[in-house]
Amino acid sequence: MSVLTAPTTDSAARSVDLGPASALSCRECGQRFALGPVFACAECFGPLEIAYDFPAGDPEGLRKRIEAGPNSIWRYAPLLPVPADVAGKPNLNPGCTPLVRADRLAAELGITGALHVKDDSANPTHSFKDRVVANAVEAARAFGFTTLSCSSTGNLAGAVGAAAARAGLRSCVFIPHDLEQGKVVMAAVYGGEVVGIEGNYDDVNRFCSELIGDPAGEGWGFVNVNLRPYYAEGSKTLAYEICEQLGWQLPDQLVIPIASGSQLTKIDKGLRELIDLGLVEDKPYKIFGAQAEGCSPVSQAFKGGHDVIRPVKPDTIAKSLAIGNPADGPYVLDITRRTGGAVEDVTDEQVVDAIKLLARTEGIFAETAGGVTVGVTRKLIEAGALDPSLTTVVLNTGDGLKTLDAVAPTTGPSAIIRPNLESFREAGLA
């Protein structure tokens, strides 16, 4: 693993072409380092994120440039750590997923304002992970990596496999041994190597961190470890798209699932960037985090008024959110408190009920993470924490076909009949 031991100037940081990205900046101490495959500050060990030289002074021109761009996340290339010609390279072109006006769901939940579901199951591998991986692939290319890898709870493994196949890179992904079968198959079908690890996601992630520091991991780009600063920026595109789809306006409230917490923190970063660039009018907004009760360390800390996240052992059907020691948990607490939001959790039974509710009202079949966000939205409304009169966006980050086991026991044929009208009438279906 490449390690930087000294700060650098922004001019020295531009050793690779990653568009407006100018340096790596420590989120804790602010120290800057050259762009490279590193994720922790050499001064204080805080997490690194991308610092930019954004276009300034012409918000209307930038808005028009974005609107004239490709129908993918690359329309926002001027705001991402990618080269200007990224849209012309072999990639999956994720993004520009539907923002669904969910009036029937709103009526069921008692919401009188506009309710929208950002349906990221419409991405190439049917989850939001395609966004983050697309950014990581560009960083991997820039740094000369030949193998793309990750630790994953399922969706990321599939996204890495597909993106690597498209880019002509080798892939080798690591997953907990007991993932949903649909996610295992989807990760393996792209021809890369899929390795099951005995243990939960936190065990898998620790192993990957060890592999990075070993000669066996040389030439490997781990999208959510040594490429994490670049990878994480892909989640900002959810914020960009939501605001553009709302007519370049900020939503009043967002409900976002929490796994590592990175998605929530980057959506907030994206919203603040749009404000700073003059692309949207500044106004208050609230961010709410959603977890499953069986893996809710951030929710527990929020409710307890704590600033430190106490790790837990995951035990939930929402396996894509089953990270017991979320790296960005403390930042989630900061953001939800700063914006006046909250972090809430729901039981597995409530997750299943919410999946069915969203499917029945809006025709969107969400995976368990989507059930978590819808279930938490309902709980927040009942508690009076979420204002039902305001514009609210709920995120569905994956396709329900990946987590069929969650709903299969209580979902099936309405009746089994003989092939005649008499049997049809006897079943009470007429």
Side-chain angles (χ1 to χ4, degrees):
M1 177 177 63
S2 173
V3 177
L4 294 172
T5 58
T8 183
T9 63
D10 284 356
S11 60
R14 288 189 171 279
S15 58
V16 294
D17 177 15
L18 288 173
S22 60
L24 294 173
S25 176
C26 178
R27 207 185 300 187
E28 292 295 326
C29 72
Q31 194 68 263
R32 289 199 169 198
F33 303 92
L35 296 172
V38 290
F39 60 96
C41 176
E43 301 295 319
C44 72
F45 302 105
L48 298 179
E49 62 179 6
I50 309 297
Y52 293 94
D53 289 334
F54 282 142
D58 185 17
E60 187 59 33
L62 179 56
R63 190 182 293 115
K64 290 180 178 179
R65 179 180 174 185
I66 289 171
E67 292 173 343
N71 193 37
S72 71
I73 62 171
W74 305 134
R75 66 199 287 113
Y76 309 109
L79 308 179
L80 295 171
V82 296
D85 62 350
V86 62
K89 295 184 177 183
N91 62 72
L92 297 179
N93 296 309
C96 289
T97 57
L99 184 69
V100 179
R101 178 68 182 251
D103 291 339
R104 296 189 68 233
L105 176 62
E108 289 271 357
L109 297 178
I111 291 178
T112 55
L115 175 64
H116 301 267
V117 176
K118 181 59 172 171
D119 187 12
D120 243 29
S121 68
N123 275 309
T125 68
H126 309 289
S127 89
F128 91 96
K129 293 295 187 181
D130 291 320
R131 298 175 181 271
V132 288
V133 171
N135 281 260
V137 166
E138 295 312 308
R141 284 174 168 148
F143 302 134
F145 288 125
T146 56
T147 297
L148 209 61
S149 187
C150 69
S151 53
S152 175
T153 57
N155 285 326
L156 181 56
V160 166
R166 177 70 175 139
L169 298 171
R170 176 196 178 210
S171 69
C172 181
V173 300
F174 299 90
I175 60 175
H177 70 286
D178 60 349
L179 275 188
E180 301 98 336
Q181 186 62 21
K183 289 181 179 177
V184 176
V185 171
M186 188 167 189
V189 74
Y190 300 109
E193 295 165 270
V194 178
V195 181
I197 301 290
E198 294 179 358
N200 59 34
Y201 173 80
D202 298 296
D203 298 314
V204 178
N205 201 41
R206 279 192 293 270
F207 168 78
C208 288
S209 296
E210 292 178 17
L211 183 55
I212 288 174
D214 189 270
E218 187 174 350
W220 289 41
F222 286 79
V223 300
N224 55 342
V225 189
N226 59 350
L227 295 177
R228 187 175 184 84
Y230 313 92
Y231 157 93
E233 293 293 284
S235 289
K236 296 191 310 182
T237 60
L238 280 160
Y240 300 157
E241 284 181 22
I242 288 168
C243 291
E244 183 180 354
Q245 290 168 323
L246 289 175
W248 293 107
Q249 295 184 36
L250 294 168
D252 297 313
Q253 304 171 134
L254 299 99
V255 185
I256 304 168
I258 298 170
S260 71
S262 176
Q263 182 187 69
L264 186 149
T265 64
K266 294 306 179 183
I267 287 175
D268 177 66
K269 184 181 181 184
L271 296 176
R272 289 185 287 114
E273 287 175 352
L274 293 180
I275 293 169
D276 291 343
L277 289 166
L279 293 175
V280 297
E281 182 179 348
D282 191 6
K283 72 171 187 178
Y285 61 86
K286 293 183 178 182
I287 291 183
F288 298 88
Q291 293 198 292
E293 186 180 276
C295 186
S296 54
V298 186
S299 176
Q300 292 172 25
F302 181 88
K303 293 177 182 179
H306 306 307
D307 295 324
V308 176
I309 308 296
R310 182 178 179 180
V312 301
K313 184 176 181 179
D315 182 19
T316 173
I317 61 171
K319 294 183 179 180
S320 62
L321 304 182
I323 297 179
N325 189 17
D328 278 26
Y331 302 107
V332 169
L333 293 176
D334 292 343
I335 289 167
T336 52
R337 288 166 177 163
R338 170 174 57 79
T339 63
V343 186
E344 187 55 88
D345 56 78
V346 285
T347 66
D348 283 355
E349 183 180 358
Q350 290 171 319
V351 170
V352 173
D353 288 345
I355 291 172
K356 292 182 177 180
L357 174 63
L358 179 59
R360 173 171 57 82
T361 55
E362 302 298 341
I364 297 173
F365 183 19
E367 71 161 40
T368 47
V372 169
T373 53
V374 173
V376 163
T377 301
R378 175 159 53 186
K379 195 170 180 179
L380 290 168
I381 292 170
E382 292 171 352
L386 190 147
D387 190 335
S389 68
L390 299 179
T391 298
T392 304
V393 176
V394 176
L395 270 66
N396 172 44
T397 53
D399 195 319
L401 292 174
K402 296 185 176 190
T403 57
L404 288 173
D405 290 351
V407 295
T410 56
T411 307
S414 301
I416 303 295
I417 67 171
R418 298 181 300 278
N420 58 61
L421 288 174
E422 181 181 1
S423 182
F424 174 74
R425 293 189 180 100
E426 288 175 353
L429 301 174

